[in-house]
Amino acid sequence: MPYSFLFRMLKDPRTTGALAPSSARLARELANLAKNSENVLELGAGTGAVTQALSRVVNEDKLQIVELQKKLAVSLKKRYPNLKVLHSTAHRALDNYRQSGSVAVVSSLPFRSLPPAIKHLTVQSLLAFLKSSPGSQLIQYTYGLSAPFTAPAGFKWQQIKWVFANFPPACIWVLTKSPDQ
């Protein structure tokens, strides 16, 4: 495990939310769920484990990366110079994202450990984005047994699969707008 990741996790565990970067297996599973979307927006890119998998299956002009921690965003920009990397909060990125067609929002955000106000803003932005973007979905993983957050009426979580080749094991979920909404 890179020492810089461990240092950041210890320094700010509420926004890092993980004990280790995502495994290659988890990253591939997330990327495979996103690859058929017209555009992909990655939230909470961190050290780039999921970014690497996404960059293998999504055209670089269709992939945008968002990271809150400035040092990680700078590192991602150096590592992936052809990708659009934003140093931003997830809710601001969602509120300002403008692409036509279906969007897979691939998220590594730690919803269970985010400060309540940030979690609320982020969830509201995600729901508004999915509501206004037909065919779009949120692809999110968690380390718990339940959905990442409660979906209000008009939205539906689907549990996709557990990835045991990750530390800790992770469950992948997909949130979509209900068809009748």
Side-chain angles (χ1 to χ4, degrees), residues 76-87:
L76 288 165
K77 187 60 181 168
K78 287 179 184 171
R79 189 170 164 197
Y80 300 100
N82 296 327
L83 294 181
K84 184 173 184 180
V85 178
L86 297 175
H87 169 236

Side-chain angles (χ1 to χ4, degrees), residues 48-175:
V50 176
T51 307
Q52 182 176 8
L54 287 169
S55 69
R56 291 182 177 146
V57 297
V58 177
N59 290 332
E60 62 187 32
D61 60 321
K62 301 292 186 182
L63 178 57
Q64 185 171 315
I65 310 304
V66 179
E67 174 52 47
L68 175 64
Q69 296 180 39
K70 187 173 185 173
K71 287 184 181 182
L72 290 175
V74 168
S75 175
L76 288 165
K77 187 60 181 168
K78 287 179 184 171
R79 189 170 164 197
Y80 300 100
N82 296 327
L83 294 181
K84 184 173 184 180
V85 178
L86 297 175
H87 169 236
S88 174
T89 63
H91 67 272
R92 282 193 191 119
L94 284 160
D95 293 346
N96 294 309
Y97 187 75
R98 301 288 178 260
Q99 292 290 348
S100 59
S102 64
V103 178
V105 179
V106 179
S107 170
S108 297
L109 298 176
F111 283 103
R112 289 190 171 85
S113 64
L114 285 176
I118 300 298
K119 178 180 177 178
H120 178 77
L121 282 171
T122 305
V123 168
Q124 293 310 306
S125 290
L126 277 165
L127 296 174
F129 179 81
L130 292 175
K131 201 174 235 183
S132 68
S133 186
S136 294
Q137 61 183 346
L138 168 64
I139 302 167
Q140 174 76 46
Y141 66 91
T142 68
Y143 301 123
L145 299 175
S146 60
F149 54 85
T150 302
F155 293 90
K156 178 184 161 197
W157 279 113
Q158 180 183 2
Q159 184 180 26
I160 302 299
K161 73 182 313 181
W162 278 92
V163 177
F164 294 100
N166 191 73
F167 180 75
C171 186
I172 300 173
W173 295 81
V174 172
L175 179 68

Side-chain angles (χ1 to χ4, degrees), residues 1-19 46-47 67-76:
M1 171 179 8
Y3 289 110
S4 62
F5 179 84
L6 179 61
F7 177 74
R8 284 183 185 88
M9 194 271 303
L10 292 172
K11 183 178 175 187
D12 194 1
R14 293 188 77 170
T15 59
T16 303
L19 299 173
T47 60
E67 174 52 47
L68 175 64
Q69 296 180 39
K70 187 173 185 173
K71 287 184 181 182
L72 290 175
V74 168
S75 175
L76 288 165

Side-chain angles (χ1 to χ4, degrees), residues 26-44:
L26 176 59
R28 277 193 311 273
E29 295 287 351
L30 295 167
N32 284 334
L33 287 168
K35 71 181 178 183
N36 293 325
S37 294
E38 294 172 74
N39 296 287
V40 177
L41 177 64
E42 182 186 4
L43 302 177

